[in-house]
């Protein structure tokens, strides 16, 4: 809405969208980027502790993860229903660090949204921006590192 300067109430739009999106999350029809799954498996295999810190509801995130048998890769799942402030406020990421029992400065965030990159930095974390077909055209230059795809990011982590 803000990106396209639309005269709409975001809270009203969310109130219409959220129940529809939640049903969709439970439908089993949401496609997960295959390269994201490969990246998750690689990171977990290298000993990284993983969390999801999202602007979606935690029940929606868990429905998708459970449907794809990915829930066991994540030690914590934080959704917008678990925080008072949404991104770009740092609360979501700070809660993730607390649940993981790590200092924010030890965390690296993988983000595809400008608000998430701002949020990560405000939390004292490094941010890797990832371009996807969905986020094409967004300015992710505020990230500490920008990958042009999930494949590129996976290759980077595979090499370290």
């Amino acid at each position: 809405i803000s990106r396209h300067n639309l005269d709409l109430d975001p809270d009203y739009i969310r109130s219409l969208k959220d129940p529809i999106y939640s049903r969709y999350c439970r439908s089993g029809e949401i496609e997960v980027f295959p390269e994201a799954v490969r990246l998750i498996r690689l990171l977990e295999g290298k000993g990284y502790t993983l969390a999801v810190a999202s602007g979606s509801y935690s029940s929606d995130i868990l429905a998708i993860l459970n449907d794809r048998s990915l829930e066991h890769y994540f030690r914590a799942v934080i959704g917008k229903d678990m925080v008072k402030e949404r991104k770009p406020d740092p609360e979501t990421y700070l809660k993730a660090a607390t649940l993981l029992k790590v200092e924010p400065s030890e965390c690296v965030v993988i983000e595809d949204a400008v608000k998430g990159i701002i949020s990560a930095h405000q939390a004292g974390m490094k941010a890797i921006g990832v371009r996807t077909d969905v986020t094409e055209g967004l300015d992710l230059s505020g990230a500490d590192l920008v990958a042009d795809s999930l494949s590129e990011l996976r290759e980077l982590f595979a090499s370290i």
Side-chain angles (χ1 to χ4, degrees):
I1 291 171
S2 62
R3 189 177 334 146
H4 297 286
N5 201 24
L6 301 175
D7 186 25
L8 298 170
D9 178 7
D11 292 328
Y12 176 70
I13 299 296
R14 269 189 215 98
S15 74
L16 298 175
K17 178 202 72 124
D18 285 350
I20 297 166
Y21 180 70
S22 290
R23 282 195 304 275
Y24 188 54
C25 289
R26 284 161 187 67
S27 72
E29 296 179 41
I30 290 187
E31 294 294 323
V32 176
F33 295 123
E35 198 60 38
V37 175
R38 288 191 276 279
L39 177 61
I40 290 164
R41 290 181 177 145
L42 172 74
L43 293 173
E44 193 264 347
K46 287 186 166 273
Y48 290 94
T49 303
L50 305 177
V52 175
S54 174
S56 295
Y57 287 105
S58 56
S59 58
D60 294 344
I61 301 162
L62 288 169
I64 295 167
L65 293 175
N66 289 334
D67 183 61
R68 300 290 188 241
S69 300
L70 296 171
E71 70 284 352
H72 65 280
Y73 288 104
F74 300 95
R75 191 178 300 168
V77 173
I78 298 88
K80 68 180 175 183
D81 52 309
M82 300 172 68
V83 296
K84 291 179 183 171
E85 300 295 330
R86 292 189 298 253
K87 297 174 188 175
D89 187 274
E91 184 181 3
T92 303
Y93 285 125
L94 292 172
K95 185 163 189 101
T98 298
L99 292 174
L100 295 177
K101 298 182 172 126
V102 297
E103 291 297 319
S105 61
E106 297 174 33
C107 298
V108 175
V109 170
I110 298 172
E111 256 298 345
D112 65 350
V114 175
K115 286 182 180 181
I117 292 167
I118 293 167
S119 176
H121 285 157
Q122 289 183 354
M125 302 175 179
K126 297 290 185 193
I128 299 173
V130 179
R131 292 189 176 93
T132 67
D133 293 340
V134 176
T135 62
E136 188 176 338
L138 293 182
D139 180 9
L140 304 179
S141 64
D144 298 287
L145 173 72
V146 177
D148 286 328
S149 66
L150 288 165
S151 297
E152 181 181 304
L153 185 58
R154 187 178 58 77
E155 290 170 15
L156 174 70
F157 275 104
S159 70
I160 55 175

